[in-house]
Amino acid sequence: MPKALQPHPDRALPAGEAREVARRIHDSTRGLPLLCFHGHVDVALFATDEAFGNPADLLVVPDHYVTRMLISQGVPADRLGLPRLDGTGTAEPREIWREFCSRWHLFLGTPSRYWLEHEFAEVLGLTVAPSAETADVLYDEICARLAEPEFRPRALLDRFGIEVISTTDAATDDLAQHAKLAADLPGRVIPTFRPDALVHLARSGWSDLTRRLGELAGTDTSAYDGYLEGLRLRRQAFVAAGARATDHGHLSAAAVPLDDATARRIYDTALRGEVTAADAEIFAGHMLFQMAAMSADDGLVMQLHPGVLRDHDPAIHATYGPDQGHDIPVAAEFTRSLRPVLERFGHAEGFRMVLFTVDETVYSRELAPLAGVYPSVRLGAPWWFLDSPDGMRRFRELVTETAGFYNTSGFVDDTRAFLSIPARHDLARRIDAGYLAKLVVEHRLDEDDAFRVAKDLAYNLAADTYARRP
Amino acid sequence: MPKALQPHPDRALPAGEAREVARRIHDSTRGLPLLCFHGHVDVALFATDEAFGNPADLLVVPDHYVTRMLISQGVPADRLGLPRLDGTGTAEPREIWREFCSRWHLFLGTPSRYWLEHEFAEVLGLTVAPSAETADVLYDEICARLAEPEFRPRALLDRFGIEVISTTDAATDDLAQHAKLAADLPGRVIPTFRPDALVHLARSGWSDLTRRLGELAGTDTSAYDGYLEGLRLRRQAFVAAGARATDHGHLSAAAVPLDDATARRIYDTALRGEVTAADAEIFAGHMLFQMAAMSADDGLVMQLHPGVLRDHDPAIHATYGPDQGHDIPVAAEFTRSLRPVLERFGHAEGFRMVLFTVDETVYSRELAPLAGVYPSVRLGAPWWFLDSPDGMRRFRELVTETAGFYNTSGFVDDTRAFLSIPARHDLARRIDAGYLAKLVVEHRLDEDDAFRVAKDLAYNLAADTYARRP
Amino acid sequence: MPKALQPHPDRALPAGEAREVARRIHDSTRGLPLLCFHGHVDVALFATDEAFGNPADLLVVPDHYVTRMLISQGVPADRLGLPRLDGTGTAEPREIWREFCSRWHLFLGTPSRYWLEHEFAEVLGLTVAPSAETADVLYDEICARLAEPEFRPRALLDRFGIEVISTTDAATDDLAQHAKLAADLPGRVIPTFRPDALVHLARSGWSDLTRRLGELAGTDTSAYDGYLEGLRLRRQAFVAAGARATDHGHLSAAAVPLDDATARRIYDTALRGEVTAADAEIFAGHMLFQMAAMSADDGLVMQLHPGVLRDHDPAIHATYGPDQGHDIPVAAEFTRSLRPVLERFGHAEGFRMVLFTVDETVYSRELAPLAGVYPSVRLGAPWWFLDSPDGMRRFRELVTETAGFYNTSGFVDDTRAFLSIPARHDLARRIDAGYLAKLVVEHRLDEDDAFRVAKDLAYNLAADTYARRP
């Protein structure tokens, strides 16, 4: 007999005498809308509002958390349908789904299992757990659901209670789909300015993108000054389109300005295709500083995610392209790296910086001390590998005593898996409820204060962190 | 109706079946006197024994934990009365107090809130919590208390049960106030030798201090040999005044001796005002080694606090001076850094070194392994940002399994906030009681052993660690 | 009256509502055989099957965990009988035993105390705890036990339920004792290939060992190519003798291949006794890569233990030799260091790498992300200082959410203390049971899944990880 799928009402809440308190706290946040100011869902989803395809394309293929675990246990990427750059090799969606279902036990103890159970039971209404035996039945059942109108993306926006969701958009995106959405769903789906591809001079395709920047912004990007001005103008276009934030993924958090002459020189060598790796790196750090300066001007909240070595396995990158879950963290450093930005803008009223990390060692050593003194700094929610029950608990335990609750950003979900959004917010609220409940039963916090804080963490702090700067 | 201020009798003790055990363990340590061998309270407090001023000057302005949190949430330093170096800008104490009271929620979950609640309720006898509404009433009530004779510093020494308290004194301090105290309160208030300003050649004021060292010690500090001899003689003066320890705050823990010729050369360039940053750094490391050598001779316990980048924001430093809470930790390293000291003195009978960190990554990786094999090394209590409920719990969890309990220093409070001393010791005893109780209920330790260890952690180990060396 | 020695049946299980669940889970793993694929017990023990000597020689002198703690509290190494290289200085075993027993409290809260209590009570049948008063009685009682035939090593192999145990053997070992054991106890005691002494060119004795390698393998080690071929042939001899794995202790995890010309040049300078420290280091990294390449060929599982600075105190090393517990961890790095190996062999079917660390910061930052995507990587059990109740709990909490359970190696004991093996496996099973029970009572895992995982962690995963590669 197949195993039933029954997410427990008390899941991820603490056991013992804290449970009752945690339940009450969690209940008090259930009805709050979701603010998704750091999303990666494809804007086309909402612009076209087409029905989702099949379970494999919706839940397996695009979810790195899922594919990396299956790959780590020996399932070849091709059998999971990862699209090859050369167009060869496809896998049948039903076969992909079977690979996944028959290895459901691999996800025990991981947040993926938690999110998926939530999606299966509460979003899709499934009643049996995935397994080799149930794979086909589940496949058909999900396909049937996805064909119903209430499973269209815009309908789910309502059902999920999403008040605002950000997408992530290249600085060179023309924002046409966002223009459509601004008309259809005003203020509900907004862009985020991501200039990474334009500030990393050595990445392939950089010069084409730079030319595209010039076209879009109407500036002359054959010189550094026009490039900088182009970025400034694109940011204004994003602001006009409703953007609240920028997003920056750099290997290092170093944000050290160069003098103009040096910046111009490096830019010129890059245009000639002759930039050195070292110059490209200091230029990226220079541009991080420039982006901070522009944020202090135009009020876009600056989100920084450093410390990940992209495409650790070059063969995977060559075959399947970037962002295939083969990115591996390295040690992060913020104290010295951000000093130039913070001594310049750390107390500036218009500037807001949200810091994320996948290196937990900086929580108590660097991030909490920085956020606990600089008014411009907020600590982002646990990111990527750390967006998990124990990861979120450690975050609170490691930062609260130095930074308090009110220097954290509130929960943001950071996902491209649209169906997982309610599960992710709910899990975060449960973990925060559990953390607060523990403080309550240890008499470190009153229960009425816990209610107030829980609401702030779940909603108000994100609203405040990503509010338009003056 | 204002919220009542009622610190719970079981606060910061674990919930569940460990609570009863923790209560018993904590009770057994309540009556023990306080040993404060690593204090930063101003010696003048005890020398003059004058009444404290007002709540703002006592509890807000000088407490970095409090001011940095308020600043991080946008309260300008000037509105908090931080004294400007140029003498301009003052804030009315009652206004400062109101800023603080109206933001009491910012401290939820922080040790500051815990300490202050303890001070308010148990030291000052207040009964309502701070808020915008209660600020003025509390202000007046505290002022009235502070005017009473039993709130004078020396009376509080008795009331707090402080057996010995160390102050922190520059190597160039003439110890005049300590001489007075040695007569009035023999052995109760003792100095600690802090030579930082003399060993960092590039800091402003260094050459004046060096001259002052020569005058006090009667040596010729226009040359390195006289400087070194001057330090040795000042240490002897501190020993004669009752000092038990030295205290060293360096960016790095590196303690690498130079040959005499190099040390002399660098010293000479510093006297000429021409020392390079690199030379100043290796000289500081050289002097850390020299201080260890002198400790092995004169028996002063060597306390080391590395890993903090001072004055992260130069504008704050320029306006308000050093030590304004804008110091941010960096990654620490002890294994290689202390090797020269430990291979020379690690097994020396007269040498005792107490190591502190604000980088928790070294607890299990470096500090516990070092303290767990070198007889001269003890691990200091969790310091600064880590002197907190979860911080102290993590310390025990991360070091005990390798270093045991008996290679730790016992609790020292490391505070300049005199009124917070009982709260800090009490909190440490509660957290240790909770940690021990957890081991008891998990059958990892017998309850009678837990009682013995609790007493050792609260009193005996500090007495032993800071005992005069043979 | 002496204190009774009564290890509690629930020891190291969680308190509260998780205890009952943890008990059931632990019970379900009790009967499983022990797989000891990463042991350091001396092969001679099993080859000769002679009776153990006295309590000091069995339980104190060779156990670094024990001697380092006693040394840290001021007991001179000579009084503990650590054998001096020059043959001078011996301590009477009964005196050594008294030193240990009278300081039994130093081990409170450490895994050594846990293991020893288990050995005393469950292996040796003692009933009173060690103390100054009971030392002599215990000494005599243990001596009497050790004289009984059922305390011979091979009898204990059966009693302990050890299915397979690996020893650790130099690449230049002739495997004669293993040949004898292969006949007497087929497949039960197997060698592990440890080439460290041959790949670190600057260590004393290297050239003699290299000559010995040539003799054993029948290759010409006066040149690099013959040396490499010699290693390959010795590996084949180990495979033939039943080996499943290699073991590598390097300061850094860097595994960067050199071109042949450079490797040959460095090798030649080493033969002339002129190798530089820098060249020796890059050669060690080169050989780590070569060992990975050979593992991908011959199927030996590659175990890597980086990040320990050996012989921190040179005086201890000079007097007593290496491996005296004076090895101290340093910060570890895997992401960049292993990239050359993983981009070449990370997806190779024949390759399996087990990664160990004594730097916990890499658990969630590097190791779990690497093991969570590369099929060849498994995370080794918490090692050395981290093989402890809280250390093992942190391991699960920090890696499971990213790597799951099935990318970990299963428990291996990594000990040279034969009598402690059942205690170590039992403790690991208890901690894993407690971790799983916590997930169960927090409704993050079903109890039936917990039973399955517990069995896999205790037995099946080690069997799978160390299975012969195809």
Side-chain angles (χ1 to χ4, degrees), chain B residues 35 40 51 61 71 76 81 86-87 100 118 128 133 179 245 249 258 299 315 364 428 457:
Chain B
L35 293 174
H40 299 303
V61 183
I71 288 171
D86 67 6
F100 163 71
H118 184 124
V128 299
E133 293 70 36
L258 304 170
S364 73
L457 298 180

Side-chain angles (χ1 to χ4, degrees), chain A residues 206-267:
Chain A
W206 173 78
S207 61
D208 288 345
L209 286 173
T210 297
R211 207 171 308 120
R212 172 87 181 122
L213 171 68
E215 291 163 14
L216 269 171
T219 62
D220 175 11
T221 57
S222 72
Y224 168 74
D225 293 346
Y227 158 83
L228 208 60
E229 183 59 16
L231 283 166
R232 194 186 323 272
L233 292 173
R234 285 312 296 154
R235 293 175 63 108
Q236 288 175 12
F238 273 69
V239 170
R244 304 278 188 96
T246 68
D247 196 13
H248 307 269
H250 283 223
L251 178 56
S252 147
V256 185
L258 304 170
D259 61 73
D260 286 351
T262 306
R264 284 186 194 118
R265 181 188 58 72
I266 295 176
Y267 187 86

Side-chain angles (χ1 to χ4, degrees), chain B residues 166-186:
Chain B
S166 300
T167 62
T168 306
D169 309 271
T172 48
D173 189 286
D174 65 9
L175 299 178
Q177 303 198 82
H178 275 289
K180 182 175 187 312
L181 282 161
D184 293 358
L185 301 169

Side-chain angles (χ1 to χ4, degrees), chain C residues 5 13 18 49 79 85 142 145 156-157 183 185 210 218 231 249 258 262 270 304 313 321 331 346 401 458 467:
Chain C
L5 193 69
L13 297 183
D49 200 33
R79 290 237 303 275
L85 292 178
I142 297 173
R145 287 285 188 295
L156 289 176
L157 266 188
L185 301 169
T210 298
L231 283 166
L258 304 170
T262 306
L304 179 59
D313 185 335
E401 295 183 322

Side-chain angles (χ1 to χ4, degrees), chain C residues 259-457:
Chain C
D259 61 74
D260 286 351
T262 306
R264 285 186 193 117
R265 180 188 58 74
I266 295 176
Y267 187 85
D268 290 345
T269 60
L271 280 181
R272 293 196 306 270
E274 295 166 2
V275 72
T276 64
D279 273 355
E281 192 180 330
I282 60 171
F283 190 86
H286 167 72
M287 288 310 296
L288 213 48
F289 184 91
Q290 296 304 321
M291 291 295 106
M294 292 188 196
S295 274
D297 272 352
D298 62 26
L300 287 175
V301 174
M302 183 173 189
Q303 302 176 107
L304 179 59
H305 299 76
V308 178
L309 188 67
R310 304 274 167 183
D311 306 313
H312 193 261
D313 185 335
I316 294 285
H317 183 231
T319 310
Y320 303 98
D323 298 329
Q324 296 304 327
H326 271 70
D327 305 341
I328 311 286
V330 294
E333 206 284 334
F334 289 87
T335 302
R336 289 180 170 103
S337 301
L338 292 181
R339 200 176 189 187
V341 163
L342 293 176
E343 71 184 37
R344 186 78 177 73
F345 307 111
H347 292 83
E349 212 177 327
F351 186 57
R352 165 75 26 102
M353 188 172 216
V354 184
L355 300 177
F356 296 85
T357 185
V358 274
D359 176 2
E360 302 184 82
T361 69
V362 298
Y363 278 157
S364 73
R365 186 180 66 215
E366 305 178 30
L367 293 185
L370 286 168
V373 75
Y374 284 105
S376 65
V377 176
R378 291 285 178 277
L379 302 188
W383 172 46
W384 196 343
F385 299 119
L386 305 176
D387 180 9
S388 60
D390 284 330
M392 292 191 281
R393 175 184 53 74
R394 287 195 299 272
F395 172 75
R396 290 288 171 215
E397 289 178 0
L398 286 159
V399 312
T400 306
E401 295 183 322
T402 292
F405 292 106
Y406 292 91
N407 286 308
T408 63
S409 73
F411 185 70
V412 291
D413 52 69
D414 187 30
T415 187
R416 56 190 84 188
F418 183 49
L419 252 59
S420 74
I421 288 177
R424 287 169 185 249
H425 284 258
D426 180 60
L427 183 56
R429 291 172 182 188
R430 287 170 184 270
I431 297 302
D432 283 340
Y435 175 71
L436 289 164
K438 184 164 182 285
L439 296 188
V440 170
V441 299
E442 292 181 358
H443 304 293
R444 293 161 64 185
L445 199 77
D446 290 343
E447 190 164 334
D448 56 346
D449 285 325
F451 281 108
R452 171 188 182 162
V453 171
K455 206 160 287 190
D456 290 337
L457 299 180

Side-chain angles (χ1 to χ4, degrees), chain A residues 211-379:
Chain A
R211 207 171 308 120
R212 172 87 181 122
L213 171 68
E215 291 163 14
L216 269 171
T219 62
D220 175 11
T221 57
S222 72
Y224 168 74
D225 293 346
Y227 158 83
L228 208 60
E229 183 59 16
L231 283 166
R232 194 186 323 272
L233 292 173
R234 285 312 296 154
R235 293 175 63 108
Q236 288 175 12
F238 273 69
V239 170
R244 304 278 188 96
T246 68
D247 196 13
H248 307 269
H250 283 223
L251 178 56
S252 147
V256 185
L258 304 170
D259 61 73
D260 286 351
T262 306
R264 284 186 194 118
R265 181 188 58 72
I266 295 176
Y267 187 86
D268 290 345
T269 60
L271 280 181
R272 292 196 305 272
E274 297 166 359
V275 73
T276 64
D279 273 355
E281 191 180 331
I282 61 171
F283 190 86
H286 168 71
M287 287 309 297
L288 213 47
F289 185 90
Q290 296 304 321
M291 290 295 106
M294 292 188 197
S295 273
D297 271 353
D298 62 25
L300 287 175
V301 173
M302 183 174 189
Q303 302 178 106
L304 180 58
H305 299 76
V308 178
L309 188 67
R310 303 274 166 183
D311 305 313
H312 193 263
D313 185 336
I316 294 285
H317 184 231
T319 310
Y320 303 98
D323 298 328
Q324 296 304 328
H326 271 70
D327 305 341
I328 310 286
V330 295
E333 205 285 334
F334 289 88
T335 302
R336 289 180 170 103
S337 301
L338 291 181
R339 200 177 190 187
V341 163
L342 292 176
E343 72 184 37
R344 186 77 176 76
F345 307 111
H347 292 83
E349 214 178 325
F351 185 58
R352 165 75 28 104
M353 188 171 216
V354 185
L355 300 176
F356 296 85
T357 186
V358 274
D359 175 2
E360 302 183 83
T361 69
V362 298
Y363 278 158
S364 73
R365 186 180 65 214
E366 305 177 30
L367 292 185
L370 286 168
V373 73
Y374 283 105
S376 64
V377 177
R378 291 286 179 277
L379 302 188

